[in-house]
Amino acid sequence: MSMSAPPPSSTSSFGLRLVLVVCAAQVLVQLGAGFWPALLPQMMQLWQLSNSEAGWITAIFFGTYMVSVPVLVTLTDKVDAKRVYLFGVGCTVAGHLLFGLFADGFWSAFATRALAGVGWAGTYMTGLKLLADQVDSRMMSRAVTGHAASIGISGAVSYLLGDVLAGQFGWRSAFVISAGTALAAWLSVALVVPSRTPSPRPKSQGGLFDFRPVIRNHNAFAYSVVYCVHTLEMSALRGWGVAFLAFVASYTGVAGETLSPPLVVTLLALLGTLTSIVGNEASIRFGRRRLVIAALVLSIVFACGVGFLGSMHYWLAVVLLIAYGMIVWLDSSSLTAGAAGNAEPARRGATLAVHSTLGYAGGFVGPLIVGWTLDLAGGASPMAWGIAFMVVAAFLVAGLFAFVALRPRELEGDRPAVRRTGA
């Protein structure tokens, strides 16, 4: 069997260029991701949508992502990741463009948001796989961090950008503009990123869509398990952070007289992205397992207290929520880098598919858990919010125990791993 050619980006300068191009493309793709939730109140009024209908339009994006990502990302173990990525970006362009031009109610919005979800499934982790296939191991961890940071920043900005564009040009034009930025991403990757066909898979490695070896690889799977509860926690915080702060403002009698809840949550997401970068550098210096365990323990402590304590005063809630968000994001890049770096090279696509599917499954469940708990506790109250965040903490405890039991190894390039090998 012939050996595969070395990655075209094996030189540091070309590798850096590749990382910059892919990260910039992810920014352009992600800019439209927050337009629908940002414009949700006005769209519900415009189309006379019920809460349930609006929820389905929001949820279908994550639903089609979960269904599509195991197929699309796993295909990158057999098909050039660039081709799969361009397919995903093309679906994103089509989804936003069709929404802007033709959406006029529940079913058309449902269908076009579903298409956008397929696009994100073919873009998010395939972009990471694109980098993993073409940069060396020393650059990989920082490439993952830059990739996560670009998505985090553009995802946070998209909420404000969608509102501004809709106010200036109308909501249809806002979605058409987001299709245009995604098209620019498609062109940049198509013209700059080199193609790279994966090496042939030995028959001994089993079928392409056989995920059992991925699950048996506890060094990678441990990070994916924690990623599930991490994303559950993150989506619960982002999905209910505004509502929690609005409740506290009303409960304490300061509504309309202080920093707005949407602005606080936007700031939380931006600071969280910065913390994710810092967290990955800490993983390299002090150890990935230590960082993940520390982040989980701190998250559990904050989740147990933020609902009860934050209800006492609005500014206390703001400080606690921002600090909590920074802790939530602390291990974000470290987890994905841990899964990608510990994956078998021939199964890296399948590993990222499992990783992403578990993550978005947690992301789908997180907001539902908070909502169900609030309803079961009799509606919004300090006690109900406290219990809701404690339920999230219970899932984090389960993730912590699973991670400690699986005991994954550090990545090549992490200093604790280097010290053990005597490098």
Side-chain angles (χ1 to χ4, degrees):
M1 182 183 300
S2 61
M3 298 295 290
S4 59
S9 55
S10 56
T11 63
S12 59
S13 60
F14 196 93
L16 178 60
R17 180 187 176 196
L18 179 68
V19 171
L20 291 175
V21 168
V22 173
C23 288
Q26 296 293 53
V27 169
L28 293 171
V29 171
Q30 180 75 350
L31 277 178
F35 283 16
W36 168 256
L39 302 175
L40 185 59
Q42 97 176 49
M43 302 309 294
M44 289 181 66
Q45 184 176 7
L46 177 66
W47 291 339
Q48 295 297 297
L49 297 173
S50 67
N51 288 311
S52 177
E53 288 172 330
W56 271 109
I57 295 172
T58 302
I60 192 58
F61 179 90
F62 300 101
T64 53
Y65 180 101
M66 285 190 295
V67 172
S68 304
V69 75
V71 177
L72 293 176
V73 181
T74 304
L75 276 176
T76 62
D77 285 334
K78 187 176 181 63
V79 179
D80 183 5
K82 176 181 175 180
R83 293 174 58 188
V84 181
Y85 181 86
L86 292 177
F87 168 78
V89 178
C91 289
T92 300
V93 173
H96 290 329
L97 184 63
L98 292 173
F99 191 103
L101 295 178
F102 302 113
D104 61 357
F106 173 76
W107 286 111
S108 53
F110 183 88
T112 50
R113 289 300 293 166
L115 182 58
V118 174
W120 191 231
T123 304
Y124 180 22
M125 283 295 169
T126 56
L128 183 59
K129 176 62 159 54
L130 195 66
L131 293 176
D133 285 347
Q134 304 205 45
V135 301
D136 59 37
S137 58
R138 293 186 179 276
M139 186 176 289
M140 181 60 198
S141 182
R142 290 190 172 97
V144 171
T145 302
H147 183 266
S150 63
I151 291 171
I153 292 171
S154 59
V157 170
S158 67
Y159 285 82
L160 295 177
L161 182 63
D163 186 55
V164 170
L165 290 177
Q168 292 293 320
F169 308 109
W171 67 267
R172 289 192 182 276
S173 294
F175 279 94
V176 172
I177 291 171
S178 69
T181 63
L183 178 60
W186 193 96
L187 291 171
S188 65
V189 172
L191 296 175
V192 177
V193 176
S195 298
R196 178 172 168 80
T197 303
S199 303
R201 291 169 53 84
K203 292 183 179 179
S204 61
Q205 292 187 349
L208 181 65
F209 294 100
D210 182 3
F211 296 110
R212 288 173 297 179
V214 173
I215 297 172
R216 288 196 295 266
N217 179 4
H218 67 91
N219 289 307
F221 189 64
Y223 291 102
S224 299
V225 170
V226 177
Y227 188 64
C228 178
V229 295
H230 159 81
T231 310
L232 181 152
E233 179 185 33
M234 181 184 291
S235 65
L237 186 59
R238 292 186 69 168
W240 288 97
V242 171
F244 174 64
L245 290 173
F247 163 77
V248 176
S250 176
Y251 184 75
T252 57
V254 297
E257 302 176 8
T258 188
L259 198 64
S260 71
L263 185 57
V264 172
V265 175
T266 300
L267 178 63
L268 179 155
L270 291 173
L271 290 175
T273 300
L274 176 62
T275 308
S276 177
I277 299 172
V278 174
N280 188 67
E281 293 300 314
S283 291
I284 296 172
R285 183 174 179 84
F286 301 111
R288 201 160 299 270
R289 288 201 306 266
R290 290 178 183 174
L291 187 282
V292 171
I293 291 172
L296 283 168
V297 171
L298 287 172
S299 283
I300 292 166
V301 171
F302 267 80
C304 287
V306 68
F308 296 112
L309 297 176
S311 299
M312 297 169 60
H313 193 280
Y314 184 80
W315 282 109
L316 178 59
V318 168
V319 172
L320 286 174
L321 215 62
I322 290 177
Y324 181 30
M326 294 175 71
I327 292 170
V328 170
W329 264 262
L330 182 63
D331 59 351
S332 186
S333 295
S334 300
L335 292 171
T336 300
N342 281 316
E344 299 172 32
R347 294 188 182 277
R348 185 171 285 125
T351 300
L352 290 176
V354 170
H355 184 78
S356 194
T357 300
L358 286 174
Y360 270 69
F364 182 79
V365 170
L368 296 178
I369 290 171
V370 175
W372 291 339
T373 304
L374 290 174
D375 283 342
L376 290 172
S381 68
M383 179 62 69
W385 279 110
I387 295 172
F389 281 111
M390 286 190 70
V391 172
V392 172
F395 282 88
L396 297 174
V397 171
L400 175 61
F401 276 111
F403 187 77
V404 171
L406 289 170
R407 193 173 173 76
R409 64 173 175 238
E410 309 284 356
L411 292 187
E412 179 184 350
D414 290 350
R415 292 190 184 180
V418 171
R419 285 196 295 268
R420 281 199 304 273
T421 58

